[in-house]
Amino acid sequence: MTPISSFVFRRRMLFAAVFLLLSLPVSSQASGARRDALADSVKQEFLHAWQGYKQYAWGHDALKPLSKTPYDWYGQPLLLTPVDALDAMLIMGLKEEARETKQLILDSLRLDRDIYVSNFEITLRLLGSLLSIYQMDPDPRFLRLAEDLGNRLMPAFGSPTGLPYQAVNLKTGAVKGTTPNPAETGTLLIEFGMLSKLTGNPKYYAAAKRALVETYKRRSKIGLVGTSINCETGEWTDTRSHIGGMIDSYYEYMLKAWLLFGDEDCKQMWQESIGPVNTYLADTVKGGLWYGVVDMHTGERRASIFGSLDAFFPAVLVLGGDMARAQALQASCYAMWTQHDIEPERYDYRKDSVVNARYYLRPEIIESAYYLYHATDDEQYRMMGRTMFESLKKFCRCEAGYAELQDVRTKEKRDAMESFFFAETLKYFYLLFAEDSALDFDSVIFTTEAHPMRKTFR
Ligand code: DMJ
């Protein structure tokens, strides 16, 4: 089923569901109450972690939750956590926290700083957030901040190929970092594209789309991309191909840019890319579906490594209409999670062993459970969510918030809590349990940082 026709199908199913709802048995009502209680519990945990940020790191990028100290990525604050977290507060109805956070951002977010920032990370965490906040709270100051930030990041696209440099100085526009990966070159179009739609200035869309197209144009004869590319020469510098970190959202944005903007080139790039991904990267082991690592030119298998970042792919498959692979892959992701009650960063699915034991409080597997629940109404995905939420509380909660794990086997904690814990992990848990009452899934496309972009910008 194509994504569009699957949406139409689901809309029809909605009418049927309304009739069903009217005749729900008491046990279903009870499960509805449990669901509300779970959504409320996510909100309480959000407040717990937010309280820690407020008390020990207010005005800084992030909180180190074990030492209870603030942390700024570039030595000077860009308010990464508050900006990334604000739309989650609005979705959860945390009005007072949202009001204070808005004030903090408008009073103290300063962008004219003499620092080199990652074009990719700042686009995801700041630009995407500012635009999504603006769609929820149309205060023109949010759009002005987004436009200012977009203009400061634009020099990144000034390479001879149009593939972006990795870092840009927010004050001077100087650039550095000549070997971006496809995630860095191809995960910009939703944010920059939306900036164009909302400001009426097409230059942002054009630059980000060119970066995506230039990456795609350099795919191998068998249709795959590598792990890094020189943005000045256009030559691949690492030819390993996979769907994990450093490539992941390159695929996600082709599909989403088509669905959000109706961009036919993106549709064509997605349709040309998903076949080779399934042909060469998919790997069935003991009946389970995984996606591994191959050489981009020959398709020869290089490794059987999968990890917490790869767990975004079931959600993308759902959006692309491939329910069978989405469900099979989510089952593998969940098996990876339950082995140690929390997923490792990297896992060898053929050797059945942990390769990198950290857990960064990542959201991807929860995001996929949310998409699958939305598409199937199958309670197993909410049960997965409940189990994962319980393990998170058990192993990662600490006095000042939530802490990453140094090792999922020993559950030793690590002194970090990334902004995406608020922006994505807790948001997706909340949406999985509260679902349509909190946000109409079909009216938005989520950025890779879980910022919902409304489709009605036109
Ligand atoms: C987020 O910053 C984004 O989801 C990105 O696409 C990948 N990694 C993190 C969360 O794990």
Side-chain angles (χ1 to χ4, degrees):
M1 206 183 287
T2 67
I4 298 299
S5 66
S6 86
F7 286 142
V8 172
F9 173 70
R10 283 212 312 277
R11 219 157 268 142
R12 283 191 197 128
M13 292 298 288
L14 195 66
F15 288 110
V18 170
F19 283 111
L20 261 176
L21 207 65
L22 293 174
S23 53
L24 272 183
V26 179
S27 62
S28 302
Q29 289 168 18
S31 92
R34 266 202 306 275
R35 212 172 57 216
D36 291 346
L38 276 169
D40 198 54
S41 168
V42 175
K43 216 195 280 200
Q44 295 315 316
E45 294 312 301
F46 186 103
L47 284 171
H48 166 69
W50 186 249
Q51 187 51 40
Y53 170 79
K54 264 176 74 172
Q55 192 171 346
Y56 302 109
W58 188 246
H60 292 276
D61 284 350
L63 166 69
K64 294 170 103 175
L66 300 181
S67 58
K68 301 178 183 167
T69 51
Y71 174 70
D72 291 313
W73 279 27
Y74 305 106
Q76 303 178 35
L78 288 172
L79 303 183
L80 293 183
T81 294
V83 178
D84 220 3
L86 178 49
D87 66 7
M89 294 173 198
L90 293 169
I91 289 170
M92 292 182 194
L94 298 170
K95 291 199 179 115
E96 186 49 27
E97 287 69 23
R99 192 194 56 74
E100 284 173 0
T101 306
K102 172 177 176 176
Q103 208 52 53
L104 172 71
I105 294 169
L106 295 177
D107 288 347
S108 34
L109 180 54
R110 270 197 43 224
L111 297 172
D112 63 331
R113 294 183 182 275
D114 192 3
I115 48 176
Y116 282 87
V117 301
S118 156
N119 181 44
F120 169 74
E121 293 289 358
I122 295 304
T123 297
L124 262 52
R125 299 190 198 216
L126 290 190
L127 184 58
S129 314
L130 289 168
L131 294 168
S132 132
I133 296 163
Y134 174 68
Q135 284 194 316
M136 293 181 190
D137 170 2
D139 184 324
R141 289 174 292 180
F142 287 125
L143 186 57
R144 277 206 294 276
L145 275 170
E147 194 173 9
D148 183 17
L149 179 58
N151 287 332
R152 291 174 188 280
L153 295 174
M154 279 297 276
F157 296 98
S159 74
T161 61
L163 295 166
Y165 290 97
Q166 289 165 285
V168 56
N169 185 302
L170 287 179
K171 195 183 189 76
T172 64
V175 291
K176 62 182 188 186
T178 53
T179 51
N181 55 58
E184 289 172 315
T185 61
T187 316
L188 306 161
L189 182 51
I190 303 289
E191 290 84 354
F192 279 86
M194 188 53 97
L195 183 59
S196 278
K197 300 291 175 192
L198 295 174
T199 58
N201 186 337
K203 71 177 180 183
Y204 310 107
Y205 195 108
K209 181 166 172 189
R210 180 168 175 225
L212 178 61
V213 171
E214 291 296 327
T215 313
Y216 171 76
K217 272 175 29 188
R218 290 171 171 81
R219 71 196 182 285
S220 67
K221 288 201 175 74
I222 60 171
L224 296 174
V225 294
T227 298
S228 66
I229 189 162
N230 186 308
C231 69
E232 294 182 334
T233 64
E235 297 296 323
W236 290 101
T237 52
D238 181 340
T239 60
R240 285 171 303 162
S241 194
H242 47 86
I243 55 153
M246 302 177 86
I247 298 184
D248 46 10
S249 39
Y250 159 75
Y251 292 115
E252 178 184 348
Y253 269 33
M254 289 172 178
L255 173 61
K256 288 185 172 177
W258 163 35
L259 298 177
L260 179 62
F261 302 124
D263 189 313
E264 290 293 314
D265 298 331
C266 292
K267 173 184 177 182
Q268 187 252 329
M269 290 190 286
W270 161 255
Q271 290 178 336
E272 291 289 322
S273 300
I274 187 62
V277 164
N278 284 325
T279 304
Y280 296 104
L281 301 178
D283 197 6
T284 302
V285 179
K286 291 187 218 138
L289 178 65
W290 300 92
Y291 285 70
V293 183
V294 306
D295 181 88
M296 67 177 276
H297 296 295
T298 62
E300 195 184 316
R301 200 154 287 282
R302 292 266 190 91
S304 45
I305 307 282
F306 191 87
S308 52
L309 283 165
D310 305 60
F312 81 108
F313 208 56
V316 170
L317 290 167
V318 168
L319 215 51
D322 187 347
M323 293 304 299
R325 283 195 183 87
Q327 288 175 295
L329 186 59
Q330 181 71 359
S332 302
C333 295
Y334 190 58
M336 180 174 77
W337 178 286
T338 48
Q339 197 172 49
H340 296 285
D341 285 328
I342 297 255
E343 63 186 0
E345 180 69 356
R346 280 154 72 77
Y347 170 71
D348 190 320
Y349 56 82
R350 282 188 177 267
K351 294 188 185 141
D352 198 9
S353 67
V354 170
V355 176
N356 176 343
R358 281 198 185 159
Y359 175 58
Y360 291 91
L361 297 171
R362 290 203 191 279
E364 286 78 4
I365 188 172
I366 305 145
E367 169 186 8
S368 288
Y370 168 53
Y371 276 61
L372 276 158
Y373 179 74
H374 180 81
T376 61
D377 276 339
D378 186 337
E379 277 300 324
Q380 69 158 310
Y381 297 113
R382 273 201 175 132
M383 297 301 287
M384 280 182 189
R386 193 164 100 178
T387 306
M388 293 189 283
F389 182 53
E390 292 306 326
S391 20
L392 216 72
K393 281 199 285 187
K394 185 165 171 197
F395 301 117
C396 302
R397 197 178 204 272
C398 59
E399 206 177 81
Y402 274 72
E404 296 175 4
L405 296 184
Q406 182 66 31
D407 192 319
V408 295
R409 294 162 298 194
T410 62
K411 311 293 186 294
E412 179 197 347
K413 292 191 176 76
R414 172 165 201 269
D415 197 10
M417 177 173 66
E418 291 263 9
S419 66
F420 57 67
F421 178 64
F422 294 99
E424 300 191 68
T425 311
L426 291 175
K427 185 188 287 158
Y428 282 131
F429 270 130
Y430 183 77
L431 290 172
L432 172 63
F433 301 133
E435 229 229 333
D436 277 353
S437 63
L439 182 81
D440 174 22
F441 181 97
D442 292 324
S443 65
V444 299
I445 289 291
F446 289 92
T447 69
T448 194
E449 189 78 4
H451 298 300
M453 296 289 170
R454 270 211 324 265
K455 292 176 182 168
T456 50
F457 52 82
R458 283 169 260 213

